Amino acid sequence: MTDIALNESLGYAYAQARERLHNALADAGRAQDAAELLAVSKTKPAAMIRQAWQLGQRQFGENYLQEALEKQAELADLDDIVWHFIGPLQSNKTRAVAEHFDWMHSVDRLKIAKRLSEQRPTHLAPLNICLQVNISREESKAGVLPEELEELAREVAMLPNLYLRGLMAIPAPAKSLDAQRQPLAALREAFIALQKSLPDAPLDTLSMGMSDDLEAAVLEGATLVRLGTAIFGARQSA
Ligand SMILES: *Cc1c(COP(=O)(O)O)cnc(C)c1O
């Protein structure tokens, strides 16, 4: 594709994604600033991220560390860009996340959180953390189980170089709006319970909703929706 064609198709998809979020918030009776868009750019080139940035997008989510670091280096001139790491992370890879990201959404065990806190450079603001919850209780899926969430959250909240901002989940896929809403409602309830049991933690973020379940997530109180396909188009399967 030429640059102009890329610009036009991304511009159109981005406008549509914004419109979808706008409509979902209106239908849910929520304020237009009650949820923000996180553009999930995994597998997509840095040039597309730059174009989305030119359209006004500032928050980007990446899943694969090496790929993300390469794109960050290419985009180092965009100094107000906000980088979220949203993929699985091995504990021996925490340092790069601590040094190069603003947010980390997939913390599901204390060992990872401790390393991120220890490795966060002191000249940077604390790393914003979402705990990933295995809300659909899928075997061998990432995420802390709901009954283990409070204990993990309590310990993460005490780590000095992290801000515990909220919860993230990737529910099992479901077709109907009602079926999609069930696990998302459970995540919202877990979030509200955590806000009550940890009143001093800066818990303000419910990271849920993807291209297929954005509307359900906004109805259930999402504050940060993570859209990949809807903005950047289909990805090659890995
Ligand atoms: C890939 C990914 C997304 C975006 O998914 P789409 O269906 O393309 O919108 C959101 N969140 C996480 C954690 C992802 O890995």
Side-chain angles (χ1 to χ4, degrees):
M1 258 197 283
T2 65
D3 261 17
I4 290 172
L6 192 62
N7 254 324
E8 281 178 359
S9 59
L10 181 65
Y12 181 72
Y14 183 66
Q16 286 219 310
R18 293 225 67 92
E19 171 94 0
R20 242 182 105 184
L21 178 58
H22 176 93
N23 291 338
L25 284 163
D27 288 348
R30 299 177 61 199
Q32 281 301 320
D33 61 358
E36 285 186 81
L37 192 55
L38 174 58
V40 176
S41 42
K42 63 180 177 227
T43 79
K44 301 297 179 182
M48 279 184 110
I49 298 177
R50 184 178 295 279
Q51 286 171 350
W53 182 89
Q54 284 162 350
L55 296 168
Q57 181 63 27
R58 290 295 177 271
Q59 309 206 65
F60 293 88
E62 290 281 340
N63 292 58
Y64 309 110
L65 191 54
Q66 195 51 43
E67 178 197 325
L69 296 175
E70 284 165 21
K71 289 190 266 183
Q72 287 178 342
E74 276 185 65
L75 299 167
D77 57 310
L78 308 182
D79 55 10
D80 60 353
I81 200 165
V82 180
W83 291 105
H84 298 241
F85 192 82
I86 63 173
L89 188 70
Q90 293 171 319
S91 61
N92 62 352
K93 301 273 177 65
T94 49
R95 183 175 298 277
V97 171
E99 291 178 350
H100 294 282
F101 285 80
D102 304 292
W103 286 74
M104 164 65 169
H105 290 229
S106 50
V107 171
D108 62 0
R109 53 196 198 278
L110 187 59
K111 180 180 179 186
I112 298 269
K114 277 185 171 161
R115 290 175 64 96
L116 289 169
S117 181
E118 280 161 17
Q119 294 167 345
R120 182 67 170 174
T122 47
H123 69 274
L124 296 179
L127 182 64
N128 297 295
I129 299 290
C130 288
L131 300 179
Q132 183 173 356
V133 183
N134 185 356
I135 200 71
S136 300
R137 312 187 72 89
E138 292 176 279
E139 255 178 67
S140 75
K141 278 288 173 68
V144 61
L145 287 170
E147 61 271 25
E148 290 159 8
L149 173 62
E150 185 179 331
E151 189 186 336
L152 176 63
R154 225 171 252 294
E155 295 186 275
V156 171
M158 289 190 300
L159 296 172
N161 301 318
L162 307 181
Y163 278 145
L164 179 59
R165 297 293 296 272
L167 302 181
M168 183 275 251
I170 309 171
K175 289 226 162 62
S176 74
L177 184 70
D178 279 350
Q180 288 180 346
R181 286 182 71 167
Q182 283 179 25
L184 299 164
L187 192 71
R188 171 173 46 78
E189 281 159 23
F191 180 60
I192 291 168
L194 211 54
Q195 286 176 319
K196 287 196 180 119
S197 58
L198 295 176
D200 295 330
L203 287 161
D204 60 2
T205 302
L206 205 39
S207 166
M208 61 188 197
M210 315 196 335
S211 296
D212 287 334
D213 63 356
L214 167 76
E215 285 74 17
V218 168
L219 281 169
E220 294 300 342
T223 68
L224 192 58
V225 295
R226 309 181 308 265
L227 294 190
T229 311
I231 297 174
F232 296 111
R235 293 177 293 273
Q236 308 274 14
S237 50

